[in-house]
Amino acid sequence: MRDTLKENTKQFGTAEEEVTYESSGPQVKPHQWVEARNTNGKLHKLKSVLLVLIMEESVQSSVPYKQLEAGSKTNALKEWKKSRIIEKFVYVVAVITIIFLTHATVYAQWLLPYYYAVSTPILILIRVIMYWKNKWQYFLLDFCYYANILWYSFIWVPYNEKFFAVVFALSNGPLIWAMVVYRNSLVFHSTDKVTSAYIHILPALLSFGIRWYREEVSKYWFDEFVPEMLELSPIWLLVVPFACFLLHSGIYFLVIHIVAKPSEEYVTSFNYLGKKQDSCLYKTFNVCGERCRPLMFYVFNWLFCIVSLAGVFIWYHFYTAHCIFLGVMSTVLIMNGGNYYIDVFSKRGFVEDECE
């Protein structure tokens, strides 16, 4: 969805004459050099992605490309240099965070609630700004943010064992399984992908620490987490969490289909998950026809929640099973990242920081 750079750059070829925008022509790779003439008629080379940015600016301002090219190439180059710096910084932070969380989960569990309490508001704020800018703000109504709000509420009332059972089930059920549906990946240099991985897996790691290392997690927190870990019935691990999921579905339906009714230019989970007509999800949501698509969207979401909650009772009562489960889900996250670097990043590459 958000690899728009790769999609846009397929549309442009060599620009040797005065043009405003061309949507046709030979395809070029995003990291390929293409030829273009400057305002003096001199033929020179520049990266195809920079050419895309210049031509898009020409469209928005209705000024011919040849008039914009001289200044726009410099501006585009500055933007990509800035982007490279940010990506390098995100890469360093992501690697350090993995080392930190590994240490915290295994040896210093008391760090987990502090890290979650500090980092969650920062990352969510960054995501709100980024998504609002790109008209993706309706993604912020998805269940993963709802579940993180519940988790963030719980850490300030850590003594409530039934509340813990509910957030434990949500974080080890639909929240972490959503990584598979959305194909979240551990892409170290991407703020967006790292944040997505974070909000889906960190609550599960925190639940693991509280469930099996309660005293260590509570060691320096302002109050003790779940003073008495009860052998809870399926009601608090299955029924109540599913009721919370239904509540979120009601809120989502009210905002998306009744109040806001966003246009097609805004991306939501409803139109994103079923946008490809040849995809399995599209066929699933339209199994009863286009008219029943909204209903089937929610029905299959509810079925997904029920299936994902099926194993929670096991994760809650068996330490080894919980360890294996989190290990497998972490492996999926890493494998998706590897697939991205090999299948997408290796072809798209970085844009070079200079023009000849």
Side-chain angles (χ1 to χ4, degrees):
M1 178 191 65
R2 292 182 278 274
D3 292 332
T4 54
L5 179 62
K6 179 179 67 174
E7 298 171 358
N8 290 341
T9 51
K10 291 180 179 179
Q11 299 177 350
F12 300 95
T14 301
E16 297 186 3
E17 298 179 359
E18 182 174 310
V19 294
T20 55
Y21 185 83
E22 291 292 337
S23 60
S24 60
Q27 294 184 352
V28 295
K29 296 180 180 179
H31 53 279
Q32 174 181 332
W33 289 101
V34 296
E35 294 181 342
R37 294 186 185 275
N38 61 18
T39 54
N40 297 323
K42 182 180 178 181
L43 189 66
H44 68 142
K45 294 182 178 181
L46 71 161
K47 281 293 184 178
S48 57
V49 171
L50 300 182
L51 182 61
V52 170
L53 296 176
I54 295 168
M55 285 185 168
E56 287 180 342
E57 184 177 347
S58 177
V59 173
Q60 295 170 2
S61 60
S62 300
V63 177
Y65 158 71
K66 194 159 67 176
Q67 297 178 24
L68 282 170
E69 183 273 329
S72 296
K73 186 178 71 171
T74 302
N75 293 336
L77 185 58
K78 289 180 179 179
E79 288 298 318
W80 279 102
K81 285 183 177 180
K82 179 181 177 181
S83 178
R84 296 290 82 76
I85 294 174
I86 294 175
E87 288 170 343
K88 291 175 183 177
F89 175 77
V90 172
Y91 184 97
V92 172
V93 172
V95 173
I96 293 175
T97 299
I98 292 175
I99 297 172
F100 173 84
L101 287 177
T102 302
H103 174 76
T105 304
V106 178
Y107 294 106
Q109 292 83 5
W110 63 271
L111 289 169
L112 290 174
Y114 282 101
Y115 180 78
Y116 185 79
V118 174
S119 60
T120 298
I122 296 174
L123 288 177
I124 295 300
L125 177 61
I126 294 174
R127 170 147 288 191
V128 168
I129 296 172
M130 180 187 299
Y131 276 25
W132 211 277
K133 179 180 178 181
N134 291 283
K135 295 185 177 181
W136 301 337
Q137 60 264 41
Y138 290 103
F139 270 116
L140 299 172
L141 294 172
D142 285 359
F143 176 78
C144 54
Y145 303 97
Y146 172 78
N148 273 273
I149 289 173
L150 292 178
W151 255 105
Y152 205 80
S153 302
F154 166 73
I155 64 175
W156 304 111
V157 285
Y159 48 81
N160 193 318
E161 64 275 0
K162 293 180 179 179
F163 193 3
F164 171 69
V166 173
V167 294
F168 178 96
L170 294 177
S171 60
N172 290 275
L175 181 59
I176 197 169
W177 277 103
M179 292 195 316
V180 179
V181 176
Y182 281 94
R183 292 186 296 178
N184 291 150
S185 51
L186 190 57
V187 178
F188 296 102
H189 70 277
S190 171
T191 305
D192 186 42
K193 294 182 182 297
V194 168
T195 302
S196 294
Y198 166 91
I199 64 178
H200 284 93
I201 199 168
L202 187 58
L205 294 178
L206 184 55
S207 73
F208 174 84
I210 296 175
R211 176 64 183 95
W212 305 108
Y213 300 95
R214 178 176 54 83
E215 294 182 359
E216 289 82 355
V217 174
S218 306
K219 190 174 182 180
Y220 298 109
W221 195 242
F222 75 94
D223 201 352
E224 186 177 4
F225 281 98
V226 195
E228 185 179 357
M229 195 67 68
L230 302 177
E231 293 294 326
L232 295 170
S233 68
I235 293 177
W236 290 100
L237 287 173
L238 300 176
V239 178
V240 177
F242 180 65
C244 291
F245 193 90
L246 290 177
L247 176 61
H248 169 264
S249 296
I251 296 172
Y252 189 88
F253 176 82
L254 181 65
V255 175
I256 298 297
H257 299 282
I258 304 297
V259 179
K261 295 182 179 180
S263 61
E264 290 296 325
E265 64 178 329
Y266 293 94
V267 184
T268 67
S269 286
F270 175 70
N271 57 35
Y272 169 66
L273 289 175
K275 69 178 181 178
K276 295 182 180 180
Q277 296 188 6
D278 59 343
S279 68
C280 178
L281 285 175
Y282 179 87
K283 296 175 182 178
T284 300
F285 295 157
N286 290 274
V287 67
C288 295
E290 184 69 25
R291 186 176 179 180
C292 295
R293 183 185 172 196
L295 174 62
M296 299 310 297
F297 170 79
Y298 290 101
V299 168
F300 279 99
N301 267 277
W302 299 334
L303 291 176
F304 162 76
C305 180
I306 292 173
V307 172
S308 64
L309 288 172
V312 167
F313 198 76
I314 299 175
W315 319 143
Y316 185 85
H317 287 93
F318 299 97
Y319 173 82
T320 302
H322 199 188
C323 289
I324 294 173
F325 172 69
L326 293 180
V328 170
M329 299 307 289
S330 299
T331 302
V332 170
L333 193 65
I334 296 170
M335 286 183 62
N336 287 343
N339 291 334
Y340 174 86
Y341 277 116
I342 300 301
D343 298 333
V344 178
F345 183 79
S346 62
K347 298 177 181 179
R348 189 181 74 184
F350 280 126
V351 178
E352 297 295 335
D353 288 341
E354 76 279 355
C355 291
E356 296 178 348

